[in-house]
Amino acid sequence: MLSRKTRRATPTAREILTLLDGALEFGAKGDIDQLAQAVTTADRLLRGDAGQLCMADNHQLTSAMTSRIDQLDAIVSTYEQSIEKSAVLQTESSEHAMQEIIRAKDAIWELRHDRIRTAKLVDALAGQGASESARKGYFSIQQAFSGLDRLEVRGRDSAGIHVLVSNHGLKATDKQVKALLENRGEDALFMSGAVRMTETAWSFVYKAAAEIGELGDNTRVMRNAVMADALLRLCVSQPDAQVAVLA
């Protein structure tokens, strides 16, 4: 995962809610094609860094989105049931309607489980009032954690991420850095929490494993370690910092 400057303009909360309100209106009219189009457009706008910046610390927006998504879920489910009951024989129009229903359901699911969920998790990692560069860095880290979660890594399975931060402009001799670094740069075994430094980039490693554990245990341990790492936070908060994550 690599953080980099987005080339897209950050969508506004008004844009997103207008699209979802429009989808609700189309749903009330039974226009599943336009409903699917509006929801898909909202989902596309909220992808990547631009979408995360739109939702950053914006609990009012995510709450408003969730309310509308709940309504859209109900509308699409009702429409799907009516199609299934009325279409004794499959026709071209009923097949098209089912395709649009699937498209709408996919976009609704992504809004709820990918866009909003990720925004909340990035909020937790970055903390309130985080800089744009910090949010982009933590977004990359969260994507790595999400990938590990999808692999269903259990507590008894070892897992780890390697976070490389470049262009941060900090020096190991800086007073604030020295206080946070302590002995982390001297770990020859590169254990969890260890740091390696070059002139252009610093690397941080986070690892977790347990003999007995449940799904998500390791990513939970690593996420807490990332959240508690003040040196990492200092690095990724620098204006030109770039983050690459290996998992």
Side-chain angles (χ1 to χ4, degrees):
M1 303 297 174
L2 176 65
S3 67
R4 54 189 174 188
K5 290 185 177 181
T6 181
R7 297 180 180 179
R8 289 197 297 120
T10 301
T12 65
R14 176 176 290 185
E15 284 181 272
I16 301 303
L17 295 181
T18 297
L19 283 166
L20 296 181
D21 285 337
L24 288 171
E25 292 178 8
F26 289 128
K29 298 174 183 177
D31 191 340
I32 192 65
D33 292 41
Q34 291 300 316
L35 181 154
Q37 182 60 41
V39 178
T40 301
T41 301
D43 175 58
R44 186 174 65 250
L45 288 175
L46 289 175
R47 293 183 180 183
D49 289 338
Q52 286 301 307
L53 292 174
C54 171
M55 294 184 285
D57 288 331
N58 198 338
H59 304 299
Q60 186 175 358
L61 171 59
T62 54
S63 177
M65 287 175 60
T66 300
S67 173
R68 288 160 173 79
I69 289 169
D70 289 341
Q71 296 175 64
L72 287 167
D73 244 340
I75 290 172
V76 173
S77 294
T78 300
Y79 192 82
E80 182 178 23
Q81 291 171 8
S82 68
I83 292 293
E84 290 175 345
K85 289 178 180 178
S86 63
V88 179
L89 296 175
Q90 275 198 334
T91 64
E92 186 174 335
S93 61
S94 66
E95 286 184 5
H96 174 75
M98 289 304 297
Q99 289 173 357
E100 291 303 299
I101 287 170
I102 292 171
R103 186 160 75 108
K105 290 174 72 173
D106 285 347
I108 289 169
W109 190 95
E110 288 181 5
L111 283 171
R112 187 191 301 278
H113 296 285
D114 279 345
R115 313 300 163 234
I116 294 176
R117 177 179 177 273
T118 298
K120 290 179 178 179
L121 291 171
V122 173
D123 279 347
L125 286 173
Q128 192 170 13
S131 67
E132 182 175 321
S133 61
R135 289 199 65 86
K136 289 179 179 179
Y138 284 115
F139 177 44
S140 294
I141 293 172
Q142 172 52 38
Q143 286 180 304
F145 283 146
S146 181
L148 288 174
D149 283 337
R150 286 189 171 95
L151 290 174
E152 297 188 343
V153 176
R154 297 178 183 273
R156 64 175 179 269
D157 301 319
S158 61
I161 63 169
H162 187 149
V163 181
L164 185 71
V165 188
S166 58
N167 298 334
H168 49 72
L170 298 172
K171 296 181 179 179
T173 54
D174 292 345
K175 185 176 180 180
Q176 188 176 9
V177 172
K178 289 175 68 176
L180 296 172
L181 184 60
E182 297 181 351
N183 298 319
R184 295 175 64 182
E186 301 173 6
D187 186 348
L189 296 178
F190 208 39
M191 302 290 283
S192 185
V195 178
R196 290 289 184 273
M197 297 177 170
T198 68
E199 291 185 4
T200 57
W202 294 359
S203 61
F204 300 75
V205 67
Y206 306 92
K207 304 176 184 179
E211 292 184 8
I212 299 175
E214 302 295 331
L215 289 175
D217 281 357
N218 283 336
T219 50
R220 191 176 302 110
V221 169
M222 290 187 290
R223 182 175 283 109
N224 289 337
V226 167
M227 290 170 61
D229 195 334
L231 182 58
L232 174 68
R233 190 173 303 279
L234 177 64
C235 284
V236 300
S237 297
Q238 303 309 305
D240 297 321
Q242 288 188 310
V243 175
V245 186
L246 298 175

